[in-house]
Structure formats: structure tokens, C-alpha cells
Amino acid sequence: MRKPNPALKWEFLPDVLTIGDAATILHMSNESIRLACVKGDIPAVKIGGTTWRISKAKLQAMFEGADTDER
């Protein structure tokens, strides 16, 4: 999974992110983010039948404690 843009200002993001928000932050496609949510690679909650929401705090924590190696 890619690292977020180093110029990213987490404090300006909403507390709950959409698939599109996460895709923009991580420079990935919406489909890649959705698949990562389905697989559990990104902690997310599915609301209704198709809507995913991602906690900004959990996403940020993934990268603050993550290894520096990119996949």
C-alpha cells in the first residue's frame, strides 16, 4: 500500500473518509481502496449495501506506525 503524500495535513481532513477520499490521499484507485476495505487491509465499515466509510484516525495510525517499505 502506498504512503500518503508527505505534504498531507491530516488535521484538515474529515473524521470519516469515503473511498474517494482515501483514494485521493493514498494516490490509489477507488477500486484498489474498495478491495483493501473488503480484504481488511484498510479498517472500514460498510454502511448499507455498498457504502464504505473509513476512520481518518485509523488510517492515519496505519501509516504513522507503518514500516517505510513500499509494496
Side-chain angles (χ1 to χ4, degrees), residues 23-40:
T24 299
I25 292 164
L26 299 177
H27 305 283
M28 296 173 70
S29 70
N30 286 1
E31 184 63 12
S32 293
I33 297 296
R34 187 189 71 74
L35 289 173
C37 291
V38 169
K39 290 176 16 183

Side-chain angles (χ1 to χ4, degrees):
M1 185 166 308
R2 294 184 181 186
K3 293 184 278 187
N5 182 335
L8 177 68
K9 303 292 184 197
W10 289 99
E11 63 270 15
F12 296 118
L13 297 173
D15 290 335
V16 178
L17 305 170
T18 65
I19 294 278
D21 294 335
T24 299
I25 292 164
L26 299 177
H27 305 283
M28 296 173 70
S29 70
N30 286 1
E31 184 63 12
S32 293
I33 297 296
R34 187 189 71 74
L35 289 173
C37 291
V38 169
K39 290 176 16 183
D41 293 338
I42 293 177
V45 175
K46 191 172 187 181
I47 301 172
T50 59
T51 304
W52 287 92
R53 292 295 180 255
I54 302 162
S55 163
K56 173 184 74 173
K58 288 183 180 181
L59 188 65
Q60 183 178 9
M62 281 178 58
F63 288 97
E64 287 182 346
D67 191 3
T68 58
D69 291 343
E70 284 192 49
R71 290 185 184 179

